[in-house]
């Protein structure tokens, strides 16, 4: 594969300000691979870190964001024999540091060196995928079967995150009742994961009818629009007073953690994937007296991206319904606007750094 | 053993109003045992449920509270061959219902029939130990070695609860850093459990110097009086910036859950044993972005009272320092006042239903 | 429902000798239910315990075997409100004793009182389902959705056993490689469970082409007939030298445990469901030096029959292909002969105690 | 610290043939540290791999064995700030490859690249500690408190291995019954670990009275010499017919795995640490019908060497009783002979590469 010396990349030049510039193509180290980026998705974490930099984020003027991407292997580091040039791959963002106590025992998304020089998470503490090329450690790459296209592949890290969440809960759902709060990308994927792992019944709770309809079409057994029904009433009635075995909170809303706690049955488990960025009020007596527990999933840990590739590759889970828009790199600001303001019913919006023109609408679709 | 037909018992006759009365001695069913109560401890749960009845609690005028007790086997149900008359035993409060899905798989303290006719928790949904006699299911009894006296034995359910909490956390502490918030009975016991299971270092956080001193004398490596020091500063400095592997919250204070969350390391686990009875403010971003989790322990589950008897019997853990006062049954109101107001440095206060007179001070000590 | 006083039942009158006799219909105790048996399947455990009685089995002349059955609720014990007369139900065989330490913490299939008066496992230590009526504890019943017929329902305990096995392994299979040895009923069901929980690839290993074909039709990705191929070569080649994440041994063959151990990857887990009734030779160095582990599943523990009902009810798993024959009660000896000798390609053979005549062939099919 | 260019090292020049030679001192890479070796213990794994090389072992003439050692930091790789020159450290042998799926999720002792160029385990697939200097990755080093001397520190990897084994079992022993088979180094350490984690009672089973006496002196509650008593009789009698919760097999004997399986209670867990190098006969019906499981521990995984340093540093566990002999490097053959033939009651034998003369007996003791 011919690799030029210079590439186009979206550089964060100031708070929430991206500029497409020419920068040098990075070179892979001994355990690294150079990827040609085919598709990179916009994520709400990008929005947050572009507005207010995260710990360890490279400074304005040098940082290229983007952590949900897929691409083609373009060059190999000296020791790499796990991949070949031309391989199509999905990524996980978090490498970790390979040397702290958390990384040593496999908890690399909770690296104790997060934000230091030793740590690496592409698109967060190292350059990411809103560029024509990006460098990844071999640990963070997973070969794609032909049945997965690059746009869908860019979302696989989302599925990896949800699967990791289910694994932190204990990971066995056959016959259980699962409630999902928030029909955003992670919530919609959670619905599919719960059904795929054998949930008896999945309740999807939200406010936007259009998104709830996407959930109904991709596996939710019971849609609860909180404008019309009380989720507690519905779940308790339909579980004969028991409550849900698992509640997956994906909205980040102020009232959502407490709703999640109440909906869970005694000994039930709550998974928080949505992040409420301001403090919320919690009645812990409900949690403690009914022996419930609260779990979290930072990133796509425990190699769940490998599981995600398998689930999508075999057709058990599809991420295609969530890919609603795509733009070339020069329209990245339009892409983020489309994503953030859900223009045209946007769920996930893709940037294609190596495609010049996607037509007059600026979109593949 | 000669059993009279009538016994003395402390009956809850109205909100926070106990009256010592003569009532009929209950008869054990086929799987039950009649116990002569030797010691029954006052617990803050008693205070709460006497003030405002819990779900499934028998009505005023008929309910005998008390769930932390020890005694002697006085009579056996038809099918009981696990015990002999005269056996000295500790108890666990929760029988459960023996038939809901939670009980079926061993989670009997989170019984789905809690509060219904089918469920039984002595001193909560059935009569308890502030009486000369009480009936227990064989499942809730554990034979005592001679090395444990009845006053210490009455506190064993507390230790069972703490051990259950550690087991819900994963139960392996060798070399880990543990922070305990709140030097009440459960907090002080948590300090001992953490050290006994091999904690590298136990931090005890509180406000009352006298109680902190008890903790220092029973194993805490580092006392943090929040009036003098910032617990976060101390723990992070002394763990080289990492944080505690486990945080055990036993204070029930408003600020405590958030302190617990902050003190835990990335991937760290928080155990909530203290119940804040009003809502508290929580910054879940700290929990989620560092992949921490919150666990609870309702009662003394998973047969941890058996483990507790072993730990006390072998001398690894001592509950004696927490038994500070004892009263005869007729002075039960004084007992609760002494306990609630911590008169004379009271930690745990015992009622002795089968002892007539404990001397002019009304106390054994 | 009208219940007569007398019923027809297959009584074990001597080693491997069943006789259909009139016996009194049992009455349900307070926590029990009387079932009208609609379908009861022949199992190889029946064959074994009829030949040589198990510990705690009632004596010849009084014992009615049969532990895989389904039926209709005919009468309720005094305290039972979980079911109504006429409810269609599946069963689990093991009640346990409700009072030993294993039962207390939910491990009721490994009851410490197994074989004593206190213990109960229908069709093993208490009367079972080769009769018109049988008594079950409420704990051992699960309501059936209309989508499951009684013949399929009789096999649900098999699925409960396999699911319990997967749960003992950790219970999260998404994307993993699973090898199944032995295409008998449990092996064929294991193939379906592995696929349903998301296995990337399921290898089915055996010798009988007809049974392997059943496996291929119900989900196995790769059939390995050991007469034609070496299973180790195949699995290692197709997993790029890694080995299988999980190996489920269902054949009970002499060489099977060692084959299972070799096929598992480093850190892989082996589940033994098939019982080799004579000692086998094991090279433990292979197990230990690659940090593999061996798990077992006695019966259908941890309430997995509830999960099984859900999986069959929702159509994720079908047990219908394994129901190949059915006979009325008076032909029970023919039923067992058909089952044991696999006459007419028999997989599972059903006895219908409340059906008089199944036609000239003695079979529904 | 002054580092010469050349060091003394014991090089494996042929099967079971060590020769002390001058070789170049290795240089640490970016994530590595050069250690001055103070004490390196002889292990039966050394004996095995010197006789018949393991997969991935460097060839005769270039390989320096030794994986149980402790030393002083002598030089730092470019990126190392976790340690300072002069730090006293213990080691773990297994680095793993930092890039296979097992290493990625923390199972580095079961590295899928074991034996390849990518993999590293000091003293197995890379040079080890029978030399004046050795290079270690930062991941494999743990700082020693002043309370631990180098000879005891050389044995810490053994304790790490036993602790890892207990963690694979679930890691919570409070109040449980533990049987240990084989009073060799790992067995004796297992006795201490079981007691330290709170075992109600530890049974030590063996044949050599002198070694059993060491066990009795370091915590075993009940010594069973199989020449005098039947271990099954003893354990079942003293557990009231239940059996042991955990059985730790450390002898590697032919009959030991089956003894371990029989001694375990229903649902009990067996840990195999001793490796029987020839096939053994196993009655799996006993394992399966009582729902027992078999676990293994390859090396000192999941960072348990960190836990081990804590346990020894705090005095909970002492390894000093097992350090019975020490020799200078030039007497390494005498050291191994003393170890293998248990001359003078040898348990563990230390080699001191940087000490010239240990007196006329060739031993520190």
């Amino acid at each position: 594969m011919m690799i030029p010396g210079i590439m186009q990349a979206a550089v964060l030049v100031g708070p929430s300000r991206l500029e497409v510039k020419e920068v040098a193509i990075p070179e892979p180290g001994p355990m690294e691979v150079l990827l040609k980026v085919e598709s990179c998705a916009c994520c709400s974490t990008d929005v947050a870190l572009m507005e207010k930099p995260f710990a360890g984020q490279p400074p304005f003027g040098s940082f290229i964001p983007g952590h949900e991407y897929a691409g083609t292997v373009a060059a190999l580091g000296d020791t790499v024999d796990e991949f070949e040039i031309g391989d199509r791959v999905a990524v996980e963002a978090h490498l970790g540091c390979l040397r702290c106590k958390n990384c040593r025992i496999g908890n690399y998304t909770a690296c104790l060196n997060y934000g230091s020089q030793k740590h690496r998470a592409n698109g967060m503490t190292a350059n990411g995928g809103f560029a024509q090329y990006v460098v990844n450690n071999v640990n963070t790459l997973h070969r794609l079967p032909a049945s997965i296209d690059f746009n869908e592949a860019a979302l696989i890290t989302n599925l990896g995150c949800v699967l990791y969440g289910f694994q932190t809960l204990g990971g066995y759902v056959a016959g259980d009742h699962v409630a999902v709060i928030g029909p955003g990308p992670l919530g919609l994927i959670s619905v599919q994961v719960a059904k795929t792992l054998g949930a008896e019944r999945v309740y999807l709770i939200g406010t936007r009818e259009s998104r709830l309809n996407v959930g109904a079409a991709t596996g939710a057994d019971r849609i609860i629009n909180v404008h019309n029904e009380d989720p507690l009433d519905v779940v308790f009635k339909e579980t004969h007073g028991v409550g849900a075995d698992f509640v997956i909170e994906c909205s980040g809303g102020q009232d959502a953690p407490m709703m999640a706690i109440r909906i869970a049955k005694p000994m039930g488990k709550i998974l928080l994937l949505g992040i409420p960025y301001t403090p919320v009020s919690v009645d812990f007596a409900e949690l403690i007296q009914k022996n419930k527990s609260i779990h979290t999933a930072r990133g796509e840990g425990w190699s769940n991206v490998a599981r995600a590739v398998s689930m999508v590759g075999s057709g058990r889970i599809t991420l295609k319904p969530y890919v609603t828009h795509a733009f070339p790199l020069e329209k990245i600001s339009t892409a983020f606007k489309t994503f953030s303001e859900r223009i045209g019913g946007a769920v996930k919006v893709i940037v294609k750094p190596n495609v010049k023109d996607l037509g007059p609408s600026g979109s593949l679709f």
Side-chain angles (χ1 to χ4, degrees), chain A:
Chain A
M1 190 176 282
M2 274 291 300
I3 305 166
I6 293 290
M7 67 176 180
Q8 299 287 318
V11 176
L12 188 70
V13 295
S16 306
R17 235 161 20 91
L18 287 171
E19 212 164 89
V20 177
K21 305 218 266 192
E22 292 203 328
V23 302
I25 292 179
E27 278 186 44
M31 274 177 69
E32 293 177 338
V33 163
L34 182 72
L35 285 193
K36 184 178 174 203
V37 181
E38 307 288 357
S39 297
C40 183
C42 301
C43 170
S44 55
T45 299
D46 294 327
V47 178
L49 60 76
M50 291 194 300
E51 188 181 335
K52 187 162 172 297
F54 280 16
Q57 191 170 310
F60 292 134
S62 71
F63 175 52
I64 303 166
H67 56 275
E68 302 182 357
Y69 54 90
T72 310
V73 173
L76 302 171
D78 287 351
T79 72
V80 178
D81 60 7
E82 289 92 344
F83 295 94
E84 288 178 27
I85 289 175
D87 278 352
R88 301 166 68 252
V89 292
V91 306
E92 41 188 311
H94 295 83
L95 172 63
C97 70
L98 301 176
R99 60 205 280 182
C100 76
K101 198 170 166 183
N102 274 358
C103 285
R104 178 67 166 154
I105 59 171
N107 299 323
Y108 51 86
T109 62
C111 173
L112 297 174
N113 284 317
Y114 199 100
S116 90
Q117 292 284 351
K118 293 175 190 165
H119 172 266
R120 177 160 187 179
N122 283 51
M124 289 180 254
T125 65
N127 282 340
F130 289 128
Q132 289 184 293
Y133 292 88
V134 64
V135 157
N136 270 69
N137 187 288
V138 283
N139 274 311
T140 61
L141 297 179
H142 300 273
R143 199 174 283 107
L144 289 169
S147 59
I148 308 180
D149 70 33
F150 285 120
N151 286 355
E152 190 173 22
L155 272 55
I156 275 182
T157 184
N158 290 282
L159 175 56
C161 181
V162 171
L163 285 171
Y164 174 49
F166 274 78
Q167 195 173 9
T168 68
L169 295 175
Y172 185 50
V173 178
D176 282 338
H177 288 256
V178 180
V180 176
I181 304 174
L186 292 184
L188 292 168
I189 292 173
S190 294
V191 167
Q192 278 199 64
V193 168
K195 286 309 285 185
T196 301
L197 294 178
E200 166 70 14
R201 213 166 148 72
V202 176
Y203 307 82
L204 177 61
I205 301 165
T207 56
R208 283 168 278 148
E209 204 63 32
S210 61
R211 283 291 180 87
L212 291 169
N213 290 342
V214 177
T218 52
D221 298 288
R222 180 67 161 89
I223 296 299
I224 307 172
N225 188 324
V226 299
H227 293 325
N228 307 331
E229 295 182 289
D230 179 342
L232 266 79
D233 287 352
V234 174
V235 173
F236 278 89
K237 187 173 168 208
E238 299 191 6
T239 57
H240 308 286
V242 170
D245 296 277
F246 300 106
V247 186
I248 320 294
E249 197 316 86
C250 303
S251 76
Q254 286 287 308
D255 300 335
M258 202 56 227
M259 183 191 289
I261 290 171
R262 287 198 202 288
I263 285 177
K265 72 166 188 182
M267 289 300 279
K269 294 179 179 180
I270 295 108
L271 173 67
L272 300 182
L273 292 179
I275 302 176
Y277 284 104
T278 53
V280 302
S281 175
V282 176
D283 172 13
F284 277 118
E286 173 68 18
L287 190 86
I288 298 168
Q289 290 181 323
K290 295 190 182 149
N291 222 153
K292 304 173 186 182
S293 54
I294 298 176
H295 303 257
T296 65
R298 166 70 167 140
E300 62 298 289
W302 297 347
S303 211
N304 274 284
V305 171
R307 298 182 188 275
V309 169
S310 173
M311 299 303 266
V312 177
S314 64
R316 284 178 177 86
I317 289 179
T318 174
L319 303 173
K320 284 185 181 153
Y322 318 132
V323 181
T324 54
H325 295 74
F327 296 90
L329 186 61
E330 60 261 39
K331 297 216 174 144
I332 188 165
S333 297
T334 311
F336 268 103
K337 186 179 162 71
T338 303
F339 171 70
S340 297
E341 302 179 9
R342 296 176 196 140
I343 294 170
V347 183
K348 291 292 281 189
V349 176
I350 300 287
V351 171
K352 309 273 296 179
N354 282 291
V355 172
K356 274 285 162 239
D357 191 355
L358 295 165
S361 74
S363 173
L364 278 170
F365 303 92

